Amino acid sequence: MPKRFPIYLALACLAVLFHCAPAVFAADPVEIAVAGVEGDALENARQALALPYGLVRDGKVDRLWLERFAKQAPEKVRQALQPYGYYKSEVSARVGQTRDGKLNLQVVVNPGEPVRVTEVTVELKGAGAEGRRLRRMRDAFPVRPGEVLLQPDYERGKGALQALAQKMGYLDASFPRHEIRISEDRSKARIALVLDTGPRFYFGQAVIQGAPDYPDSYLKRFVAFKEGEPFSYAKVGETQLNFANSERFRQVVVTPERERAENARVPVVVQLTEAPRRTVRPGVGYGTDTGARFSTHYRDLNLFHKGHDLDLSLYAAQRLQGFAGRYTIPSTSDYRSSTSLQLNLQKEDVTSYLSKIVALELDRNIGLGRGELATAYVRLLQEVFTVGDENANSRLVLPGFRFSKETFNDLVRPRRGYAYTLELRGAHPYLGSDSGLIQGIAHANLLFPLPWRLSLQSRGDVAYSLLDDPFSELPPSIRFFAGGDQSVRGYSYQSLGPRDASGQVVGGKHLLVGSLELLRSLYKDWGVSVFYDIGNAFNNYADMRLKDGTGVGIHYYTAVGGLNLYLAKPLATGAGSFRIHFTVGFQL
């Protein structure tokens, strides 16, 4: 198929994205035209002219009611223009009719000269008046002399000043004086604003109730503040999220008891309702990479009544079977930090290779900040494998370091955010390995919103290897392949990479994969997308041959994540026809 195929497909999909929601293009029974203003002032005027409920019934317009509404329209528009500095506007409105007999409301505005600010006085009083952050925000107040009086900017600056004061612990911060004085000729304005911070409040003692099976030292890891720190509602909310995200509590209520504050110290009560500590969850599913699968998951979240976590999984799929166990000991100082021991027994039989793995890994996880995690680990790997015509056995001792950062506005159906992971690992015969190697691996995912309910997601994977020994001695779990649901769609799982003399894919030392996906939300729980993926595994950059694929997706969003169905077309010559991919959840 010619290379212009993805262009035609993308154009067709974009047409679907913009036209499949009929409500977007539904014609209004009464057209409202406003002339003479533009920008935010025009938008505010249009909102003020929203037709009252009942004026249109079953597609028919009440003409008399519309005439009465037209008489009220000039005053509505004049009021709507004042926040944007137009206090001398002249407005006329009349009901008209188009050539096809459709009624319309025609509004003509002569906004006149806007009011300009001649003086701005912002004063700080109270215990926080000398605070550097407050003074910087005062000096950066968004309304300045000589500018048009824009009341949205005034309210934004005023709200930001009060919010910052309250965030710094000045809970009683208020404005005893807040004035905008307009001159009699409605051409000039003076602003006078006084913020009184009041006294500064601090955190008092945190009292945790309702979780007797967990030790107090374990529970206090989730408290985001220390006694004596300046009070902050953001810290209260962070504490709530820390407990809720631990999966150990059915209900979490964090209450600052302001009325019980003594010496400006606010005690905080955390009321917890425990969730079952032990769960057993059987599961049945399907993934295009692994095929049909069955799994059983056992978890104990409070082993030995110390908050230790035992997580065991048994899974069997068409191409992947195994057991995974993890024992985690939480840190006593930080809820994000822990030490864990993992055991993995796995058999994987895919088109490119057959692999049997026994792996034991010791991790030390250190939380560095919200969404940031650093992990130092040592992995002991014993792998028996067949790749192409090669049968081998490999033993590796892999020390490594991994850093990850993740921030999304919603993990179930995100609209914006990013995540990335950087990893460095190596092996050497001096440490007991059969081979010597160093590998660097990076993964990144970026999601940002666009107009018209669109969003753009980009994804990238890069990996590079330095080897002391022949590549054939490297097990498949350490080699790199491309293709599949989370790689280059349109190609089967792990089907892309360098080939041996017999033409079989054997994987490569390096990896480069990129993806762009344009998503369009439909209604409440649905979405559609168009994507383009490109990448491959390779042994040297001179012989790099990137493979690409494109297609469309449909998404249904549930409370636990999205169900994503893709129809993908590989664009490489001789790569075959369309391929279906199915995934569950948002892919980080």
Side-chain angles (χ1 to χ4, degrees):
M1 182 168 289
K3 275 286 187 177
R4 62 177 178 273
F5 170 80
I7 299 175
Y8 292 153
L9 177 62
L11 291 174
C13 293
L14 285 173
V16 172
L17 295 182
F18 285 104
H19 291 84
C20 55
V24 174
F25 296 93
D28 293 327
V30 178
E31 293 182 355
I32 299 176
V34 180
V37 288
E38 58 186 16
D40 292 338
L42 173 60
E43 183 62 28
N44 208 40
R46 284 175 173 167
Q47 292 179 10
L49 293 173
L51 297 178
Y53 178 77
L55 191 149
V56 180
R57 291 183 180 273
D58 300 325
K60 296 182 179 180
V61 181
D62 187 326
R63 177 67 183 258
L64 292 178
W65 192 347
L66 181 60
E67 294 283 1
R68 291 196 301 269
F69 183 78
K71 293 178 181 179
Q72 301 166 2
E75 182 59 27
K76 290 178 178 289
V77 172
R78 280 192 288 269
Q79 293 291 331
L81 296 179
Q82 287 182 3
Y84 298 92
Y86 298 109
Y87 280 77
K88 296 187 290 186
S89 59
E90 298 177 357
V91 185
S92 63
R94 70 180 186 88
V95 176
Q97 200 166 8
T98 62
R99 292 180 180 178
D100 58 1
K102 187 176 183 180
L103 293 174
N104 59 20
L105 178 61
Q106 300 172 10
V107 179
V108 178
V109 179
N110 178 10
E113 285 297 318
V115 174
R116 293 196 174 271
V117 179
T118 59
E119 182 180 338
V120 178
T121 303
V122 182
E123 184 181 350
L124 300 177
K125 295 176 62 177
E130 299 302 318
R132 185 176 302 173
R133 293 173 63 190
L134 281 173
R135 294 173 68 183
R136 280 203 302 263
M137 181 163 283
R138 176 201 63 187
D139 296 340
F141 195 75
V143 181
R144 296 184 177 278
E147 296 179 348
V148 173
L149 174 62
L150 298 177
Q151 291 186 34
D153 287 353
Y154 167 80
E155 294 295 340
R156 176 170 56 85
K158 178 182 167 186
L161 200 58
Q162 185 177 31
L164 177 60
Q166 292 176 345
K167 182 180 179 180
M168 295 171 61
Y170 301 101
L171 304 184
D172 294 334
S174 62
F175 295 96
R177 184 183 181 191
H178 48 99
E179 299 176 349
I180 301 178
R181 292 185 175 271
I182 308 294
S183 63
E184 290 186 6
D185 62 357
R186 297 185 179 184
S187 64
K188 302 174 183 177
R190 292 185 298 167
I191 293 175
L193 195 63
V194 177
L195 173 69
D196 188 346
T197 66
R200 194 173 199 178
F201 287 81
Y202 300 86
F203 280 108
Q205 183 181 11
V207 179
I208 302 175
Q209 302 172 347
D213 286 343
Y214 289 90
D216 194 56
S217 59
Y218 173 81
L219 295 175
K220 286 188 174 179
R221 301 161 62 248
F222 298 104
V223 177
F225 56 85
K226 295 180 180 180
E227 187 174 351
E229 288 183 348
F231 185 90
S232 165
Y233 282 110
K235 290 288 186 180
V236 173
E238 186 178 342
T239 299
Q240 174 100 19
L241 285 175
N242 292 347
F243 278 103
N245 291 339
S246 71
E247 304 180 74
R248 289 165 167 81
F249 309 104
R250 183 182 293 114
Q251 186 176 31
V252 180
V253 179
V254 182
T255 308
E257 298 190 328
R258 166 77 180 279
E259 67 281 359
R260 293 182 54 230
E262 295 183 2
N263 299 320
R265 290 181 177 253
V266 181
V268 178
V269 176
V270 181
Q271 185 65 46
L272 304 173
T273 302
E274 292 185 27
R277 57 171 279 195
R278 299 185 184 92
T279 56
V280 179
R281 296 178 181 174
V284 177
Y286 179 84
T288 45
D289 283 351
T290 59
R293 65 177 180 269
F294 170 80
S295 63
T296 301
H297 182 204
Y298 171 82
R299 195 173 185 188
D300 188 335
L301 292 168
N302 193 18
L303 198 64
F304 308 127
H305 298 280
K306 293 184 176 181
H308 294 190
D309 183 356
L310 178 65
D311 194 327
L312 306 175
S313 294
L314 185 66
Y315 51 92
Q318 289 175 270
R319 306 180 189 95
L320 184 68
Q321 305 87 40
F323 166 83
R326 185 184 72 244
Y327 177 60
T328 303
I329 302 174
S331 167
T332 57
S333 58
D334 177 31
Y335 80 96
R336 295 173 291 248
S337 302
S338 63
T339 301
S340 62
L341 182 66
Q342 301 182 55
L343 173 65
N344 289 280
L345 311 174
Q346 178 179 292
K347 177 184 177 182
E348 187 174 19
D349 187 358
V350 297
T351 305
S352 303
Y353 58 83
L354 170 64
S355 170
K356 298 177 182 179
I357 292 175
V358 178
L360 186 66
E361 182 171 315
L362 179 65
D363 296 341
R364 175 56 180 164
N365 304 298
I366 302 173
L368 301 178
R370 182 173 295 182
E372 295 183 353
L373 185 67
T375 302
Y377 65 86
V378 177
R379 190 179 194 205
L380 310 179
L381 174 67
Q382 184 73 39
E383 186 167 356
V384 179
F385 59 91
T386 300
V387 181
D389 297 328
E390 296 285 340
N391 297 300
N393 188 342
S394 174
R395 182 182 69 252
L396 293 174
V397 180
L398 286 162
F401 178 80
R402 182 188 310 114
F403 174 81
S404 63
K405 183 174 176 61
E406 172 188 314
T407 173
F408 288 97
N409 67 320
D410 185 341
L411 290 181
V412 176
R413 190 178 182 181
R415 286 278 295 159
R416 69 168 70 241
Y418 65 89
Y420 66 87
T421 301
L422 305 173
E423 183 173 357
L424 182 66
R425 65 190 183 189
H428 197 277
Y430 289 154
L431 301 176
S433 298
D434 293 338
S435 304
L437 62 93
I438 295 176
Q439 289 184 325
I441 305 170
H443 169 80
N445 197 328
L446 175 64
L447 178 68
F448 58 92
L450 298 172
W452 308 304
R453 304 184 70 190
L454 293 168
S455 57
L456 183 65
Q457 181 178 2
S458 61
R459 166 174 53 86
D461 294 275
V462 179
Y464 187 85
S465 304
L466 294 174
L467 306 180
D468 280 346
D469 299 287
F471 177 77
S472 60
E473 298 181 10
L474 211 61
S477 63
I478 301 298
R479 302 184 189 189
F480 297 106
F481 298 81
D485 299 342
Q486 308 308 317
S487 183
V488 184
R489 286 164 287 190
Y491 304 84
S492 61
Y493 177 62
Q494 306 285 65
S495 65
L496 297 180
R499 299 175 181 270
D500 62 10
S502 64
Q504 300 184 68
V505 175
V506 296
K509 295 190 294 183
H510 318 307
L511 178 71
L512 183 63
V513 171
S515 173
L516 283 176
E517 184 165 358
L518 184 66
L519 301 100
R520 171 58 151 84
S521 296
L522 297 179
Y523 309 109
K524 180 181 178 182
D525 299 321
W526 290 87
V528 292
S529 65
V530 56
F531 66 85
Y532 176 76
D533 297 343
I534 186 169
N536 208 341
F538 50 95
N539 287 324
N540 58 73
Y541 285 93
D543 295 332
M544 180 174 60
R545 298 291 182 269
L546 300 181
K547 306 291 185 178
D548 53 352
T550 189
V552 296
I554 185 168
H555 314 271
Y556 177 70
Y557 301 99
T558 71
V560 295
L563 305 178
N564 311 297
L565 182 65
Y566 296 99
L567 179 63
K569 169 66 180 176
L571 302 179
T573 303
S577 186
F578 291 90
R579 176 173 291 274
I580 292 175
H581 296 272
F582 178 73
T583 63
V584 177
F586 173 65
Q587 307 302 323
L588 301 181

